[in-house]
Amino acid sequence: PLLPLAAACDDTITQEECFDPAVHNAVGTVEESPEYPDGRIVRYVRNGYMYKDKIFRYADVIVSSKK
């Protein structure tokens, strides 16, 4: 039987603070602030998953950026 993606993968991409295009997909931006300087992840929209250093799904994130 097929396992759900989360069960089959050995790592969830949810712990990063800085945007990394190698593992994240920016689906939105907000203006930077003291709490979230430029390039910081503000919110995870959808978790990403990896298995043995191979990305199965990029993490969808909202990122802070300069206006």
Side-chain angles (χ1 to χ4, degrees):
L2 293 175
L3 294 174
L5 186 59
C9 293
D10 62 358
D11 194 17
T12 303
I13 303 168
T14 57
Q15 303 303 315
E16 302 292 324
E17 289 184 14
C18 292
F19 178 73
D20 179 358
V23 294
H24 300 117
N25 178 39
V27 296
T29 59
V30 297
E31 190 173 346
E32 69 177 330
S33 69
E35 186 178 358
Y36 296 108
D38 186 38
R40 293 292 181 139
I41 294 172
V42 175
R43 183 168 64 95
Y44 278 82
V45 177
R46 185 173 74 163
N47 291 342
Y49 296 101
M50 296 177 71
Y51 181 71
K52 295 184 180 178
D53 296 328
K54 181 175 171 75
I55 296 175
F56 278 86
R57 182 169 78 189
Y58 290 88
D60 290 340
V61 296
I62 305 292
V63 181
S64 62
S65 67
K66 294 180 182 178
K67 264 216 153 188

